[in-house]
Amino acid sequence: MIKISVVSRCPYCGHKMDVVALKCPVCGTGVTGQFVLDEFFNLSEEQMKFVKIFLKHKGNLSEVQKELDISYPTARNKLNEIVKTLGYDVEDEVKENERDILEKLKNGEIDVSTAISKLKGGKDEGSQKI
């Protein structure tokens, strides 16, 4: 038997699809009605792949980033988008994570004095790019 994921969005207009029939693959019994899909069906294939990798690594974003070969901030942003898609609020992070600051420093997005200032909790005083 071919494994096919449930299509939760209309391929024509993109709106959420309704599930109206279920069938037992063993005995053939069918049930029709209006069924509610779990919020996880709102996730795209890419988001579901991320969730599976996230669970495989027991929530360790550093391991997820390594497996997907993406930066830590990108991994965190993808996770935040998934959280939003599932219907939960994501608080805007006012203070940057230390790991994000060091990642920006490593990538040359900020200079050393800016990184030190941010790590001390100060405002962005240094130049933005080396």
Side-chain angles (χ1 to χ4, degrees), residues 41-58:
F41 286 98
N42 293 330
L43 298 178
S44 68
E45 283 186 47
E46 181 183 342
Q47 289 175 320
M48 191 56 84
K49 176 184 172 188
F50 185 94
V51 168
K52 289 176 182 178
I53 293 169
F54 182 75
L55 292 173
K56 177 175 107 177
H57 292 293
K58 299 174 182 76

Side-chain angles (χ1 to χ4, degrees), residues 50 61 65 70-80 100:
F50 185 94
L61 269 182
Q65 100 172 78
I70 57 177
S71 70
Y72 186 88
T74 299
R76 196 187 71 242
N77 289 338
K78 286 180 178 286
L79 181 60
N80 284 342
D100 294 344

Side-chain angles (χ1 to χ4, degrees), residues 2-125:
I2 298 173
K3 185 178 178 182
I4 300 173
S5 296
V6 172
V7 178
S8 62
R9 295 274 173 192
C10 174
Y12 180 71
C13 70
H15 281 86
K16 193 160 53 168
M17 302 272 284
D18 291 333
V19 176
V20 295
L22 298 170
K23 181 180 175 185
C24 175
V26 177
C27 70
T29 299
V31 180
T32 60
Q34 193 72 24
F35 304 101
V36 178
L37 290 174
D38 190 271
E39 289 83 6
F40 278 97
F41 286 98
N42 293 330
L43 298 178
S44 68
E45 283 186 47
E46 181 183 342
Q47 289 175 320
M48 191 56 84
K49 176 184 172 188
F50 185 94
V51 168
K52 289 176 182 178
I53 293 169
F54 182 75
L55 292 173
K56 177 175 107 177
H57 292 293
K58 299 174 182 76
N60 185 328
L61 269 182
S62 293
E63 292 300 317
V64 172
Q65 100 172 78
K66 288 176 191 171
E67 182 167 332
L68 294 175
D69 194 28
I70 57 177
S71 70
Y72 186 88
T74 299
R76 196 187 71 242
N77 289 338
K78 286 180 178 286
L79 181 60
N80 284 342
E81 283 303 313
I82 290 167
V83 171
K84 286 179 190 174
T85 301
L86 293 175
Y88 300 105
D89 291 331
V90 176
E91 292 182 23
D92 292 329
E93 295 178 23
V94 176
K95 197 172 180 182
E96 283 183 277
N97 180 313
E98 287 180 15
R99 184 182 297 261
D100 294 344
I101 295 167
L102 295 174
E103 184 79 25
K104 286 180 180 179
L105 178 62
K106 176 183 161 192
N107 293 335
E109 296 173 31
I110 59 174
D111 62 19
V112 175
S113 63
T114 302
I116 291 169
S117 175
K118 286 178 176 258
L119 289 169
K120 288 181 177 179
K123 297 227 177 202
D124 195 7
E125 296 168 4

